Amino acid sequence: MSSITGNLKQVLDELPRGVRLVAVSKFHPNEAILEAYQAGQRIFGESKVQELSAKHDALPKDIEWHFIGHLQTNKVKYIAPYVSLIHGIDSFRLLAEVDKQAAKAGRVIDCLLQIHIAQEETKFGFTPDECRQLLSGGEWRALSHVRLCGLMGMATNTDNMDQVQQEFNSLYDLFLETRTTWFADAPWFCELSMGMSHDYHEAIRAGSTLVRVGSHIFGERDYSAH
Ligand SMILES: *Cc1c(COP(=O)(O)O)cnc(C)c1O
């Protein structure tokens, strides 16, 4: 058994029912993705449009591609024809562009609103109040080619796991509030994307439904080749 297959099985064995794995394959070659694919994995996450497009072209068509990074408005058109879920919607402008490109592609694209929960300036996303304002505003309801399916967030990159747990708990609370207030009649609003290699146990404990695990499965990323 290759280490990718072994790592994948180890992570999958730890996931409770109702929690799905996004295998984050960014910076890893097609062969690595194929190993995980052959072990049964179908959901993969990428964070660069060009890299995602090349992999989508080359790899099996029943892969569900999730876009997990910061998405630039001018690049939405390249992934709109096939992307399964966009995790990082961080502005109304981006959501509107996804709607426009989804309409052109004749699709409805599932999206998550990214919420800034970390104590770091570098992470993208709405603050909880900005999220409430966006949803209260109601403009999003006119966008018929996107479907808001839940929230996504990243905890602070720290070894203080109590802090990480608190941040995930606060995102879960916001998720419940949002669902009750704006999506009570929308059963598809059911996804909470949180948890990476070093904190997915905490995320699961806090109610994650989608963990995004990369290096724990594929090994460290080699950024120097890019
Ligand atoms: C890279 C990335 C991950 C995976 O990170 P690992 O630490 O390798 O598991 C998860 N989520 C997002 C948004 C990422 O950019």
Side-chain angles (χ1 to χ4, degrees):
M1 192 155 67
S2 81
S3 64
I4 290 178
T5 306
N7 295 343
L8 179 72
K9 287 198 189 313
Q10 188 233 314
V11 174
L12 287 173
D13 280 347
E14 292 170 345
L15 299 188
R17 264 181 89 91
V19 182
R20 292 184 299 155
L21 170 66
V22 180
V24 175
S25 48
K26 63 187 187 194
F27 293 92
H28 292 286
N30 291 348
E31 300 79 69
I33 298 175
L34 276 174
E35 278 188 46
Y37 178 88
Q38 270 143 22
Q41 181 65 21
R42 289 296 177 273
I43 308 178
F44 292 90
E46 291 282 337
S47 61
K48 297 265 187 291
V49 167
Q50 235 187 332
E51 184 179 353
L52 171 54
S53 295
K55 286 174 173 173
H56 168 259
D57 286 349
L59 289 164
K61 291 300 168 249
D62 62 340
I63 289 180
E64 256 187 58
W65 293 105
H66 288 200
F67 194 86
I68 61 165
H70 176 62
L71 181 55
Q72 287 171 281
T73 319
N74 61 348
K75 296 198 173 157
V76 173
K77 56 178 177 284
Y78 301 114
I79 61 170
Y82 64 84
V83 69
S84 288
L85 180 64
I86 298 175
H87 289 233
I89 299 292
D90 57 5
S91 71
F92 181 77
R93 195 169 141 256
L94 177 58
L95 187 66
E97 179 63 16
V98 174
D99 181 70
K100 181 176 152 194
Q101 297 301 334
K104 275 194 191 169
R107 305 183 62 215
V108 174
I109 297 180
D110 287 345
C111 294
L112 307 178
L113 298 176
Q114 182 168 356
I115 309 299
H116 183 110
I117 52 170
Q119 307 258 306
E120 284 161 331
E121 305 237 326
T122 51
K123 303 251 156 80
F124 293 97
F126 298 100
T127 65
D129 270 339
E130 288 167 347
C131 172
R132 292 182 185 101
Q133 274 163 27
L134 173 86
L135 294 171
S136 296
E139 266 184 290
W140 58 276
R141 293 188 189 275
L143 306 177
S144 52
H145 291 85
V146 288
R147 191 167 73 154
L148 291 180
C149 295
L151 305 181
M152 176 267 202
M154 289 165 87
T156 303
N157 187 9
T158 172
D159 290 335
N160 181 347
M161 294 327 262
D162 290 338
Q163 181 183 347
V164 168
Q165 188 70 62
Q166 273 174 28
E167 290 171 357
F168 285 148
N169 289 346
S170 73
L171 185 56
Y172 181 74
D173 290 343
L174 182 67
F175 169 70
L176 287 189
E177 176 195 330
T178 318
R179 195 173 63 176
T180 318
T181 312
W182 291 284
F183 297 95
D185 56 355
W188 53 85
F189 191 93
C190 61
E191 300 292 357
L192 184 52
S193 167
M194 55 186 194
M196 306 170 37
S197 288
H198 71 286
D199 59 14
Y200 67 94
H201 294 109
E202 285 74 16
I204 289 169
R205 229 174 280 137
S208 172
T209 66
L210 282 170
V211 291
R212 310 177 309 269
V213 180
S215 43
H216 201 86
I217 296 169
F218 295 108
E220 293 305 318
R221 290 178 283 273
D222 179 8
Y223 295 106
S224 65
H226 289 255

